[in-house]
């Protein structure tokens, strides 16, 4: 399963609604996650500069509709800063991610909101994949399992969406939001589980999401 698919499972409540902690910022996280997936599949690179740039190194199809759809959408945007890309609705992988999870039997297509308004809900049909994922992340946070590339990416994205504690409240072992943040920072900075590509992408995602989220946080504080 792709990182972006695992992220979507974490962000989705069992009733098919997006968790309130990320209801506004889901786009940023899921675009970031699918770019990580593309990098790890050798289709894009993410530069290591202060304002990382995404470039395409191969347009060869991967055979995965989520990756191939996103790659096609990225072609005219090659060379753009990651900070810019994560905010672009055009790159939102939501529809293809949901379709993939429906095909896998993880989600089902449900009803729309009251009077048929809003987007259709996609409630969980098979809770097993998310339970396995959450158990895996709990073990990583507890230090009993070495983190994979996917684990590092998921934890980094959740933390930089300011949603890690809300989403992983049970998996973090009851620690405070501050302590969880410190634990994730230690993992993503010091783990040897990820290769150079994964580390570069995680660092870039952190820089991009921090830059993107800062105006949102400031505005919320002022109001």
């Amino acid at each position: 399963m792709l990182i972006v698919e695992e992220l979507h499972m974490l962000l989705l409540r069992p009733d098919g609604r997006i968790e309130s902690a990320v209801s506004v910022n889901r786009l940023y996280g899921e675009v970031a996650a699918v770019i990580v997936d593309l990098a790890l599949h050798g289709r894009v690179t993410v530069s290591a500069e202060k304002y990382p740039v995404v470039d395409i190194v191969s347009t060869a199809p991967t055979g995965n509709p989520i990756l191939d759809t996103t790659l096609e959408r990225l072609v005219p945007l090659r060379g753009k800063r990651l900070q810019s890309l994560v905010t672009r609705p055009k790159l939102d992988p939501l529809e293809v991610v949901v379709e993939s999870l429906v095909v896998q039997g993880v989600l089902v297509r449900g009803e729309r909101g009251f009077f048929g308004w809003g987007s259709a809900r996609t409630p969980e049909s098979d809770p097993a994949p998310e339970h396995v994922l959450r158990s895996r992340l709990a073990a990583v946070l507890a230090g009993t399992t070495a983190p994979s590339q996917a684990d590092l990416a998921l934890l980094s994205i959740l933390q930089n969406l300011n949603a890690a504690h809300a989403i992983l409240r049970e998996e973090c072992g009851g620690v405070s939001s501050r302590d969880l943040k410190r634990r994730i920072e230690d993992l993503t900075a010091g783990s040897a589980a990820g290769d150079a590509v994964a580390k570069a992408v995680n660092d870039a995602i952190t820089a991009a999401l921090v830059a993107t989220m800062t105006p949102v946080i400031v505005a919320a504080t002022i109001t």
Side-chain angles (χ1 to χ4, degrees), residues 2-8 26-40 67 82 86 93 153-154 157 201 205 209:
L2 295 177
I3 295 169
V4 69
E5 292 176 292
E6 292 190 326
L7 179 64
H8 189 73
R26 177 203 57 80
L27 170 69
Y28 306 155
E30 294 196 1
V31 173
V34 78
I35 289 176
V36 174
D37 283 317
L38 284 169
L40 296 179
L67 297 182
L82 182 58
V86 297
L154 288 168
I157 290 171
V201 171
I205 292 298
L209 290 180

Side-chain angles (χ1 to χ4, degrees), residues 1-214:
M1 189 174 285
L2 295 177
I3 295 169
V4 69
E5 292 176 292
E6 292 190 326
L7 179 64
H8 189 73
M9 287 195 300
L10 292 173
L11 301 187
L12 201 66
R13 295 186 339 204
D15 65 0
R17 294 180 181 272
I18 296 294
E19 289 282 0
S20 58
V22 289
S23 59
V24 176
N25 307 318
R26 177 203 57 80
L27 170 69
Y28 306 155
E30 294 196 1
V31 173
V34 78
I35 289 176
V36 174
D37 283 317
L38 284 169
L40 296 179
H41 281 75
R43 295 306 189 270
V44 305
T45 58
V46 182
S47 69
E49 57 199 293
K50 182 177 180 180
Y51 299 106
V53 170
V54 177
D55 203 1
I56 297 172
V57 295
S58 173
T59 56
T62 66
N64 183 293
I66 298 172
L67 297 182
D68 292 342
T69 298
T70 306
L71 185 60
E72 182 179 352
R73 294 171 179 173
L74 268 174
V75 169
L77 300 173
R78 65 193 315 160
K80 296 287 188 182
R81 290 180 178 178
L82 182 58
Q83 180 183 342
S84 167
L85 295 178
V86 297
T87 65
R88 294 184 180 238
K90 180 180 179 180
L91 295 178
D92 191 351
L94 179 61
E95 290 185 9
V96 281
V97 168
V98 167
E99 179 61 26
S100 176
L101 292 173
V102 168
V103 169
Q104 294 176 63
V106 177
L107 304 179
V108 293
R109 297 192 182 278
E111 300 295 331
R112 295 183 180 273
F114 290 113
F115 307 111
W117 296 342
S119 58
R121 299 179 191 175
T122 50
E124 197 171 61
S125 176
D126 179 6
E130 184 177 353
H131 288 167
V132 171
L133 170 60
R134 287 184 175 275
S135 296
R136 192 182 85 210
L137 293 178
V140 167
L141 291 171
T144 58
T145 299
S148 66
Q149 295 171 343
D151 299 332
L152 294 176
L154 288 168
L155 292 172
S156 178
I157 290 171
L158 287 174
Q159 183 56 52
N160 286 292
L161 290 176
N162 296 304
H165 196 260
I167 298 296
L168 302 175
R169 191 176 300 276
E170 295 185 9
E171 291 72 26
C172 71
V175 303
S176 67
S177 178
R178 177 178 296 180
D179 287 342
L180 177 60
K181 180 177 185 290
R182 186 179 298 114
R183 175 62 176 148
I184 291 174
E185 288 174 346
D186 289 344
L187 285 167
T188 55
S191 175
D195 59 18
V197 173
K199 186 179 187 306
V201 171
N202 281 333
D203 289 347
I205 292 298
T206 298
L209 290 180
V210 166
T212 300
M213 292 296 296
T214 298

